[in-house]
């Protein structure tokens, strides 16, 4: 059977004036759907059997085997340009030859297929905006990209010239021997050729995080801080950023009805202030509560939202957000303007408060603590949270500490000290206040204590952001030596001192000693890269032992 000629390819949608897919090496395609609208992508998704329409309008899809990122399958091409720029202790290298073989095989695999091309921007700061083209095999992946990244205007599309290209072919299976990867799944990043290849996974979050990885490589070289954080701004114009790993409340706590949401996950901090890298939100929805998180809950009842791995009754099309039948990591992807108080620009001034969120399942850390700049850098490089049984396969009964440097190690191509030093400089330059907020356990460790009440966390954050905590009495934590409020209006004072919440004080002391030891052991790899002030900000094992 003869293959279709290139000129036989059907092109529909809003095409760019130049730079078609042939400029990226694609040949003999059946159809290219260019920059389709949300309704058109809904129709294509349902026509192709990729997803189903739920009651009230969201699109429900299943991601199959991969219900989260496949970190062990991500590689960065190691060449002359990247050799001295990439943190190879954290990034798995791929040879240029293996990448070229993978690229050629994926282009050959695409022949005769329908593809969806979506042109978007990463970065709301016009001075640092990145034009990205995402070519996908699935219609719903193109919809995901449309909702999660920044959508160009019609005029911007007509002259769109992509700087980076992401090729996403979920049904392509990599060959570890031929392609130098670990399995049939691969995410390969080539900073020199400005191409990212994704194969063997239907989890759309890989696309979103690929754009973040690019920005994390490009922005620090321009003295712009790239951050895995959410951000909002108050009526007084004072912005706040919220660092945190998955499950710490980064999305929930930034969606505050009294403040304007800048974004929920990825931001830059430039000479002009903070800006969203994205144009949408990717919120966890497992056990989502209409009462506790009304803004996010409402997005699960809207046309345009993509729901990943959410249980839906096949007859009534009603959702069951409490079900983890397909995955614990159920997600909603929606444009940021689905949140009523979202920013129109995705930009704000320089942050006046820097908040680091942790879910301490050991029950040791206070619900809020004031950090010095040196302590802020220490905890930023540490990136601590804890995982508990039931959230991931293979976890035992005891909480497992997780230290993900910069609160986003999987997406950081450069050495953590680059990001840490840049953050420290920006905090000092703009005199931002820094806080460590524990959204984890109180009254004991996981299994004995209980989760920190979200009302208390919100009240403490509000007091930090409005300046109330500047005028309250503080004590110095004996183990971590940061300052902790003794009392805060509207908050039970007992909860502010973790030891007071434990029935067994001796057990608390032992747990604190254990956590201090974990912090110090983890930080050894950074000791040669930081100054004496940061080293002195470490928790003290001797004090904990007392």
């Amino acid at each position: 059977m003869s293959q279709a000629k290139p000129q036989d390819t059907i092109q529909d949608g809003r095409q760019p004036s130049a730079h078609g897919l042939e400029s990226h090496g694609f040949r003999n395609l059946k159809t290219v759907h260019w920059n389709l609208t949300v309704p058109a992508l809904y129709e294509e998704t349902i026509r192709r059997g990729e997803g189903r329409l739920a009651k009230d309008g969201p699109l429900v899809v299943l991601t199959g085997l991969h219900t989260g990122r496949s970190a062990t399958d991500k590689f960065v091409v190691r060449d002359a340009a990247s050799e001295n720029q990439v943190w190879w202790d954290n990034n798995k290298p791929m040879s240029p030859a293996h990448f070229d073989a993978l690229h050629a095989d994926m282009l050959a695999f695409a022949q005769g297929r329908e593809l969806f091309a979506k042109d978007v921007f990463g970065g709301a700061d016009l001075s640092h905006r990145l034009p990205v083209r995402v070519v996908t095999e699935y219609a719903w992946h193109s919809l995901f990209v449309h909702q999660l990244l920044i959508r160009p205007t019609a005029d911007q599309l007509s002259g769109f010239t992509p700087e980076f290209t992401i090729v996403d072919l979920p049904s392509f299976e990599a060959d570890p021997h031929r392609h130098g990867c670990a399995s049939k799944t691969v995410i390969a990043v080539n900073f020199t050729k400005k191409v990212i290849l994704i194969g063997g996974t239907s989890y759309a979050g890989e696309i979103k995080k690929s754009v973040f990885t690019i920005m994390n490589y490009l922005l620090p070289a321009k003295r712009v801080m790239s951050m895995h954080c959410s951000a909002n701004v108050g009526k007084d114009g004072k912005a706040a950023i919220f660092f945190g790993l998955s499950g710490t409340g980064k999305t929930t706590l930034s969606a505050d009805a009294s403040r304007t949401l800048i974004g929920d996950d990825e931001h830059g901090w430039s000479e002009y202030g903070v800006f969203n890298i994205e144009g949408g939100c990717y919120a966890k929805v497992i056990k989502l509560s209409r009462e506790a998180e009304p803004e996010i809950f409402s997005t699960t009842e809207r046309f345009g939202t993509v729901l990943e791995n959410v249980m839906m009754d096949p007859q009534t099309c009603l959702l069951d957000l409490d079900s983890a039948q397909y995955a614990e990591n159920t997600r909603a992807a929606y444009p940021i303007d689905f949140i009523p108080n979202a920013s129109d620009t995705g930009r704000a001034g320089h942050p006046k408060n820097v908040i680091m969120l942790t879910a301490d399942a050991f029950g040791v850390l206070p619900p809020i603590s004031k950090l010095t700049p040196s302590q802020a850098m220490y905890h930023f490089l540490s990136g601590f949270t804890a995982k508990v049984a039931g959230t991931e396969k293979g976890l035992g009964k005891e909480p497992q500490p997780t230290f993900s440097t910069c609160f986003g190690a999987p997406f950081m191509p450069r050495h953590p000290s680059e990001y840490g030093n840049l953050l420290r400089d920006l905090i000092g330059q703009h005199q931002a206040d820094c806080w460590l907020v524990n959204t984890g356990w109180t009254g004991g460790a996981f299994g004995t204590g209980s989760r920190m009440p979200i009302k208390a966390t919100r009240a403490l954050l509000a007091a930090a952001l409005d300046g109330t905590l500047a005028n309250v009495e503080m004590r110095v934590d004996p183990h971590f030596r940061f300052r902790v409020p003794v009392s805060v209006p509207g908050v039970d004072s007992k909860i502010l001192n973790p030891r007071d919440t434990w029935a067994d004080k001796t057990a608390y002391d032992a747990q604190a000693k254990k956590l201090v030891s974990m912090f110090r052991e983890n930080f050894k790899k950074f000791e040669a890269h930081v100054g004496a002030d940061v080293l002195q900000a470490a928790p003290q094992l001797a004090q904990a032992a007392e």
Side-chain angles (χ1 to χ4, degrees), residues 108-445:
F109 180 85
Q111 294 192 41
R113 297 176 183 270
E114 286 186 81
L115 295 180
F116 297 81
K118 181 62 70 172
D119 292 330
V120 290
F121 292 116
D125 186 318
L126 302 184
S127 300
H128 304 291
R129 186 171 64 184
L130 179 75
V132 181
R133 172 166 293 161
V134 185
V135 182
T136 65
E137 179 184 1
Y138 292 168
W140 80 263
H141 276 192
S142 196
L143 175 60
F144 176 93
V145 170
H146 179 87
Q147 304 296 51
L148 261 292
L149 276 297
I150 296 174
R151 298 160 285 281
T153 65
D155 288 343
Q156 290 168 339
L157 275 179
S158 65
F160 193 91
T161 303
E163 185 174 337
F164 268 79
T165 306
I166 298 173
V167 179
D168 166 57
L169 303 176
S171 59
F172 174 86
E173 293 184 348
D175 179 344
H177 177 73
R178 175 170 166 77
H179 302 134
C181 51
S183 72
K184 294 179 179 180
T185 299
V186 65
I187 301 95
V189 181
N190 192 322
F191 290 120
T192 300
K193 292 192 171 182
K194 299 185 176 182
V195 174
I196 295 181
L197 305 174
I198 303 172
T201 174
S202 298
Y203 181 67
E206 296 286 11
I207 306 172
K208 160 189 157 68
K209 289 305 183 186
S210 291
V211 176
F212 189 38
T213 299
I214 297 168
M215 298 298 271
N216 284 333
Y217 184 76
L218 298 177
L219 291 180
K222 301 162 71 175
R223 295 297 295 168
V224 176
M225 180 67 184
S226 54
M227 306 174 291
H228 186 213
C229 71
S230 57
N232 62 26
V233 60
K235 293 181 176 63
D236 57 4
K238 294 180 179 179
I241 55 178
F242 301 75
F243 289 100
L245 299 170
S246 179
T248 58
K250 182 160 47 70
T251 297
T252 299
L253 294 171
S254 59
D256 183 336
S258 68
R259 297 173 65 83
T260 298
L261 179 68
I262 305 301
D264 82 324
D265 194 43
E266 301 169 2
H267 291 82
W269 187 351
S270 75
E271 63 271 37
Y272 307 111
V274 65
F275 62 92
N276 197 354
I277 288 175
E278 301 180 304
C281 301
Y282 194 36
K284 293 187 76 169
V285 295
I286 189 72
K287 297 181 174 61
L288 191 68
S289 163
R290 188 189 298 275
E291 291 70 33
E293 302 172 82
E295 294 88 0
I296 299 173
F297 191 96
S298 70
T299 69
T300 67
E301 301 174 322
R302 291 193 60 166
F303 181 86
T305 294
V306 180
L307 295 175
E308 288 183 346
N309 301 313
V310 171
M311 180 66 182
M312 182 182 77
D313 186 287
Q315 301 302 320
T316 65
C317 295
L318 291 172
L319 303 174
D320 181 0
L321 297 180
D322 292 334
S323 173
Q325 177 174 331
Y326 299 119
E328 181 81 19
N329 186 35
T330 57
R331 295 272 181 171
Y334 50 88
I336 195 168
D337 59 21
F338 277 18
I339 300 296
N341 57 321
S343 167
D344 293 331
T345 64
R347 301 188 294 271
H350 295 288
K352 297 303 180 185
N353 286 279
V354 174
I355 294 131
M356 299 181 190
L357 301 169
T358 180
D360 173 23
F362 298 93
V364 170
L365 295 175
I368 194 166
S369 311
K370 178 75 180 293
L371 306 177
T372 66
S374 298
Q375 289 171 337
M377 186 171 177
Y378 181 92
H379 285 278
F380 179 70
L381 290 177
S382 296
F384 168 72
T385 193
K387 296 178 181 178
V388 297
T391 59
E392 286 188 9
K393 292 181 180 178
L395 290 178
K397 295 180 180 179
E398 293 294 317
Q400 298 297 315
T402 298
F403 292 93
S404 184
T405 186
C406 307
F407 294 97
F411 328 116
M412 301 296 173
R414 296 179 178 273
H415 193 276
S417 60
E418 287 195 52
Y419 306 102
N421 286 325
L422 189 51
L423 180 66
R424 180 195 58 196
D425 293 347
L426 287 165
I427 288 171
Q429 181 181 347
H430 301 288
Q431 298 183 326
D433 288 327
C434 302
W435 309 90
L436 182 68
V437 173
N438 175 23
T439 62
W441 273 254
T442 182

Side-chain angles (χ1 to χ4, degrees), residues 65-76:
L65 176 64
H66 295 283
T67 59
R69 291 182 301 99
S70 187
T72 58
D73 292 307
K74 183 176 180 179
F75 295 83
V76 175

